[in-house]
Amino acid sequence: MKIVVKDDRQQFDHAAALEIVHLIHAKPHAVIGLATGNTPKGLYKVLGEMCKKKEVDFSEVITLNLDEYLGIDPDNPGSCRCYLQERFYDHVNTKQENTYYLNSHPHDYEKECKRYDQLIEDLGGIDLLILGIGHNGHLGFNEPSTPFGSTVHVCPLTDRTRTANIWSFGSKDKVPTEGITMGIKSIMNCKKLMMLANGEAKADIVHKALYDKITEKTPASILQLHNDVVIILDEDAARFI
Ligand code: F6R
């Protein structure tokens, strides 16, 4: 496990962006899984700027989202799909046919999970997955006690996670109660993982996930077992490391 600690947010965003850029330079048709949330906002901004300056070319890159809220329209501004559209796709030269999403309103939940599992397999697996970490150690929408063997699945969102995501929906009653997410096994099957965390509020859980025991109660603790993972932190999140 490689742990990188950066002095400030600018360096943090830049270090995360360089991981993606280096991958694309080495493999222009890389398959990249995308998280949403507060943490990677700066990363997507930097990637947009670098693409504009032609320092990176996304034209062959294949992307897919890590997770999505369930029971909302795809054009709901709080959806992961809209987040990625506004913060990432609108600023880079990805091709629409190379971008994949989880359906936020599938007729058949089980079929949607199977479709996404199959999609990941058909793409030849994910070269790099961008991850954040929840205050309770969740990865994607895999809340504590999600089985480590889980693939794409539907999951209830904890009260704490819903509260943390009020910013994207405006009020708590609008935050969906369920999500659909790559499971822990799907995450561990990715060739490389990049987990990002910034801010003091993440310091405890980052320490617990990286140094405490590996348990389903702390989903991110599984990262200790992955053989190619980079953790990028700012100084605040790295406070107990
Ligand atoms: C979002 C996701 C979540 C977030 C996590 C941290 O796609 O998968 O696991 O990464 O909740 O969220 P922020 O970055 O808002 O603290």
Side-chain angles (χ1 to χ4, degrees):
M1 181 180 284
K2 185 172 140 194
I3 301 180
V4 177
V5 181
K6 292 293 174 186
D7 289 348
D8 58 39
R9 287 288 166 92
Q10 223 179 332
Q11 289 184 47
F12 168 87
D13 295 336
H14 199 70
L18 283 187
E19 291 286 338
I20 311 271
V21 169
H22 290 156
L23 169 68
I24 297 171
H25 287 168
K27 187 174 181 183
H29 55 285
V31 179
I32 303 180
L34 306 173
T36 60
N38 276 308
T39 313
K41 284 178 180 170
L43 157 66
Y44 293 130
K45 191 161 183 278
V46 173
L47 289 175
E49 288 162 2
M50 291 181 82
C51 188
K52 210 171 180 185
K53 288 191 255 168
K54 304 216 181 311
E55 291 170 352
V56 60
D57 176 13
F58 284 89
S59 62
E60 301 303 320
V61 172
I62 295 162
T63 56
L64 65 173
N65 62 330
L66 163 66
D67 47 12
E68 185 54 280
Y69 295 96
L70 269 183
I72 53 168
D73 288 336
D75 57 357
N76 182 315
S79 67
C80 298
R81 184 174 182 156
C82 281
Y83 169 111
L84 289 172
Q85 188 64 47
E86 279 163 29
R87 297 178 188 276
F88 182 58
Y89 294 123
D90 283 349
H91 310 280
V92 293
N93 63 334
T94 43
K95 292 190 185 123
Q96 208 175 342
E97 67 265 29
N98 288 340
T99 65
Y100 297 93
Y101 299 94
L102 279 156
N103 185 349
S104 62
H105 223 312
H107 288 302
D108 183 331
Y109 285 10
E110 214 170 295
K111 252 195 190 159
E112 177 61 5
C113 295
K114 286 204 178 115
R115 178 191 73 83
Y116 218 62
D117 277 331
Q118 189 60 49
L119 170 72
I120 295 169
E121 204 180 312
D122 293 347
L123 292 172
I126 296 170
D127 291 302
L128 174 78
L129 177 65
I130 302 168
L131 292 165
I133 180 171
H135 296 100
N136 58 8
H138 72 221
L139 290 180
F141 281 149
N142 295 285
E143 299 283 22
S145 299
T146 303
F148 280 163
S150 55
T151 53
V152 177
H153 64 283
V154 168
C155 45
L157 302 179
T158 60
D159 195 62
R160 193 166 180 196
T161 298
R162 292 184 63 237
T163 303
N165 287 304
I166 290 175
W167 65 271
S168 40
F169 288 91
S171 63
K172 180 129 178 225
D173 57 309
K174 292 192 181 127
V175 183
T177 54
E178 281 184 317
I180 182 166
T181 184
M182 289 182 200
I184 298 293
K185 189 173 169 197
S186 332
I187 292 172
M188 290 300 281
N189 280 343
C190 296
K191 290 164 205 163
K192 181 170 180 148
L193 301 174
M194 173 169 77
M195 194 196 84
L196 309 175
N198 57 31
E200 214 177 321
K202 296 283 173 74
D204 269 328
I205 192 62
V206 164
H207 180 268
K208 196 171 178 192
L210 304 188
Y211 295 103
D212 224 331
K213 67 170 184 281
I214 300 166
T215 163
E216 289 176 349
K217 289 187 187 141
T218 311
S221 63
I222 193 79
L223 298 179
Q224 295 177 40
L225 297 180
H226 197 282
N227 62 14
D228 192 1
V229 51
V230 56
I231 312 285
I232 302 182
L233 308 171
D234 71 351
E235 273 194 336
D236 293 335
R239 207 169 139 196
F240 303 128
I241 284 182

